[in-house]
Amino acid sequence: MRGGMKDVYFGPDKSYVVAFYRDKQDYNSRERLKKLVTQYYDSFFNREGGDYYKELYCWPTDMVEVDGKVGLVVPAYNKNFFFKKGYATSEGIKGKEKQGLWFASAKFRNKQFALRLDESELGNWLSYFQIGVRIARGVKRMHAAGLAHSDLSYKNVLIDPVSKSATIIDIDGLVVPGLYPPDVIGTADFIAPEVLATKHLNLRDPNRKHANRTTDLHALAVMIYMYLLYRHPLKGGKINSLDTEEDDLLSMGEKALFIEHPTDTSNRPKLDQVSKWALPWADVTKLPYTLTGPYLKTLFDQAFVTGLHNPNLRPNADTWEQALLKTTDLMQPCSNAHCNQKWFVFDNSASPKCPFCGTPVKGTVPVLDLYFEFKPTVWKPENHRLMVYHNQYLFQWHVNRNVVRNEKLTAEQKIPVGYFTFFQNKWVFVNQKLTSLKDLTEDKEIPVNTMVDITDGKKLLLSKEEGGRVVVITIANK
């Protein structure tokens, strides 16, 4: 295959490819590529947790040279990153790579659009939170190593909503700050405003902004917003210039404005101007960003309001990871079997319903607020809650604040410790593994393999160990 800068050849057994640069690589480029396949490869993969990252990056493993041309040996993508089916109406994209762009646009999931993706490839709304977590972890690890991707976009991230996996590609463009400048300014839609606003300056001008860690953070925020809401956060109805090219440059650069800015509504999408395939997602009044829940709303405000033109205020990748994970604890399955999204973030309003299909929430919903011991006998709220649904699991990371839900979890820590279920017309929690679970309201121990009623106002101590939490229960939608 012929890419933008390289010619790509499969290895004999198709387990790897060799990508040769068409242009001659200078000394600096060679040194950078050499570092990527030796020093950085080693620090990412040949240590504890390395296997997790092998799935997360498509990282070059070796550098070769033939007839003066430099090539990189790169593992072939996993089978799940290729479309198994074509468009819903034709074979079209069968066998093509699952670039993220297919999943970040409303039209490819619109039932009336001829080139829509087959439903079996789309996953559900929860899938995209789990994909977001993986991408955030990938960015977090690169930044921890002092690297920036430089061209983070839905073209350079392959995703599979079915297996909820993602892999970051085009690693050979990684930027080592102060050592190797970026080759590109990025992919349209994901380039940070400050890079676009200064791209007219000379390449070596000290005022010109280049791809770096904070521009990655802009791209990460855009990607998460698009995977959850299927629209671009900056592409609205405001016109900044009658010249189309200049308008695009201003709207994404110097004059960039969040389409859902809380006080300046001038860039709201104009519904009479958007494509019919983009609906209902283009309607920010019907499907506002607040439906992603309180943690993500806060981060979208930081990324697209306070941090849009102030790069140092953008949320870092770890903050995105934790907010996405905490939001999955607020989710409820939709009771409508035909709902496209299948999941939604429960909001504790008077008559809660799925925002996507309008189906009301049936029955009561227990809400568990997590508390931690600030100092002996003083318990403080953790700003973390768990919405309960039938047959939902409880995990160690809920029980103890010293167990952090990240890529370093052991297999043992991923085993549920109990589950909630609606049994004989009431909510109960079945304790499978908690050795010091206590009902504080009734002042009694809850041994392993017994259950406790989940009622309004009840307090449970999940663990007596250091870091163990208390939960306070509220019954919503009574």
Side-chain angles (χ1 to χ4, degrees):
M1 279 181 71
R2 204 173 156 83
M5 297 157 75
K6 300 184 281 285
D7 294 320
V8 186
Y9 302 88
F10 262 116
D13 65 354
K14 297 210 168 176
S15 69
Y16 67 92
V17 298
V18 184
F20 284 102
Y21 287 90
R22 283 194 288 277
D23 294 340
K24 197 171 167 57
Q25 299 298 295
D26 63 15
Y27 175 78
N28 254 3
S29 290
R30 285 164 186 258
E31 285 301 298
R32 179 169 69 105
L33 296 173
K34 208 178 286 178
K35 257 193 160 161
L36 283 178
V37 300
T38 54
Q39 181 189 328
Y40 286 114
Y41 184 90
D42 197 50
S43 72
F44 270 68
F45 306 111
N46 293 338
R47 58 172 60 182
E48 193 191 3
D51 286 349
Y52 182 88
Y53 294 113
K54 270 188 181 147
E55 288 182 20
L56 196 48
Y57 304 108
C58 193
W59 199 288
T61 55
D62 206 353
M63 181 176 154
V64 294
E65 200 164 333
V66 179
D67 300 333
K69 283 198 169 179
V70 172
L72 289 174
V73 179
V74 188
Y77 306 140
N78 267 345
K79 287 186 175 63
N80 56 316
F81 293 119
F82 296 94
F83 283 105
K84 289 180 181 62
K85 294 203 172 168
Y87 298 118
T89 51
S90 73
E91 289 291 271
I93 51 167
K94 189 177 178 181
K96 288 217 169 83
E97 296 160 13
K98 292 185 181 178
Q99 287 189 346
L101 62 91
W102 295 105
F103 303 97
S105 162
K107 68 181 176 185
F108 294 120
R109 55 184 64 238
N110 189 310
K111 285 194 162 55
Q112 272 72 52
F113 189 57
L115 300 183
R116 71 188 181 280
L117 298 177
D118 192 272
E119 257 175 62
S120 65
E121 302 274 21
L122 288 175
N124 57 49
W125 205 48
L126 182 57
S127 315
Y128 295 89
F129 281 80
Q130 288 152 320
I131 284 165
V133 166
R134 284 183 170 269
I135 299 168
R137 282 178 181 164
V139 174
K140 174 181 77 172
R141 180 69 187 87
M142 284 191 292
H143 290 178
L147 300 168
H149 187 282
S150 83
D151 192 8
L152 197 63
S153 75
Y154 51 31
K155 283 190 172 175
N156 289 331
V157 179
L158 303 181
I159 73 170
D160 175 34
V162 183
S163 61
K164 306 170 182 61
S165 49
T167 189
I168 298 172
I169 64 172
D170 265 14
I171 296 290
D172 58 299
L174 283 186
V175 173
V176 184
L179 199 53
Y180 308 115
D183 294 327
V184 290
I185 73 161
T187 299
D189 286 4
F190 294 88
I191 304 168
E194 65 275 14
V195 174
L196 279 179
T198 59
K199 84 174 193 132
H200 62 283
L201 299 173
N202 187 296
L203 200 60
R204 298 282 168 249
D205 188 311
N207 293 315
R208 178 154 175 185
K209 300 287 186 279
H210 297 282
N212 60 30
R213 192 185 68 85
T214 59
T215 65
D216 276 359
L217 295 177
H218 172 76
L220 177 64
V222 171
M223 214 180 310
I224 291 168
Y225 182 93
M226 291 187 79
Y227 284 145
L228 299 183
L229 296 161
Y230 317 124
R231 58 180 180 244
H232 194 283
L234 306 179
K235 291 190 161 182
K238 189 174 188 179
I239 294 168
N240 288 299
S241 168
L242 294 175
D243 177 312
T244 314
E245 208 170 304
E246 192 185 354
D247 180 54
D248 203 43
L249 198 60
L250 289 170
S251 303
M252 302 292 278
E254 189 189 334
K255 297 273 176 73
L257 177 68
F258 184 30
I259 61 170
E260 298 187 76
H261 194 289
T263 55
D264 184 346
T265 58
S266 61
N267 198 26
R268 292 280 156 105
K270 294 181 168 58
L271 295 187
D272 56 346
Q273 292 171 8
V274 301
S275 153
K276 64 178 179 179
W277 311 121
L279 293 168
W281 296 96
D283 187 343
V284 298
T285 307
K286 188 175 180 186
L287 294 170
Y289 74 122
T290 49
L291 61 78
T292 62
Y295 310 122
L296 289 178
K297 182 214 175 277
T298 301
L299 294 198
F300 285 136
D301 285 342
Q302 280 177 30
F304 302 134
V305 182
T306 50
L308 188 60
H309 297 286
N310 197 335
N312 293 327
L313 298 180
R314 291 171 189 157
N316 65 25
D318 181 52
T319 312
W320 282 111
E321 177 192 344
Q322 294 308 320
L324 287 160
L325 288 171
K326 280 168 77 173
T327 303
T328 61
D329 280 344
L330 299 179
M331 289 183 129
Q332 288 280 305
C334 180
S335 60
N336 171 11
H338 302 292
C339 177
N340 289 335
Q341 303 302 320
K342 305 280 188 286
W343 291 85
F344 63 94
V345 174
F346 181 90
D347 74 329
N348 206 353
S349 56
S351 49
K353 60 179 189 287
C354 170
F356 307 117
C357 69
T359 305
V361 174
K362 293 188 182 84
T364 57
V365 179
V367 183
L368 274 58
D369 279 298
L370 276 52
Y371 284 73
F372 72 100
E373 195 168 23
F374 176 65
K375 56 187 184 190
T377 74
V378 178
W379 293 79
K380 288 198 167 183
E382 190 109 36
N383 187 27
H384 187 170
R385 58 173 32 170
L386 183 64
M387 315 296 308
V388 172
Y389 51 85
H390 183 54
N391 288 343
Q392 184 195 20
Y393 289 121
L394 189 76
F395 290 93
Q396 281 191 39
W397 57 78
H398 297 122
V399 171
N400 193 311
R401 73 188 312 235
N402 295 333
V403 179
V404 182
R405 189 180 175 189
N406 61 20
E407 69 280 8
K408 296 190 178 98
L409 285 173
T410 63
E412 175 67 25
Q413 288 170 330
K414 292 176 185 174
I415 298 169
V417 294
Y419 63 93
F420 300 92
T421 189
F422 197 65
F423 176 69
Q424 294 181 342
N425 229 16
K426 62 182 181 183
W427 286 103
V428 294
F429 173 71
V430 179
N431 179 13
Q432 292 173 296
K433 283 181 172 291
L434 297 175
T435 52
S436 54
L437 176 64
K438 187 177 183 185
D439 182 336
L440 297 176
T441 308
E442 306 274 329
D443 192 28
K444 64 178 188 190
E445 308 286 331
I446 314 295
V448 172
N449 294 328
T450 67
M451 58 192 188
V452 57
D453 289 355
I454 297 295
T455 54
D456 202 34
K458 179 164 282 192
K459 293 187 179 78
L460 297 175
L461 173 68
L462 300 180
S463 167
K464 287 180 182 155
E465 289 175 25
E466 191 187 337
R469 290 191 176 101
V470 163
V471 292
V472 178
I473 298 161
T474 313
I475 303 294
N477 204 35
K478 284 188 283 196

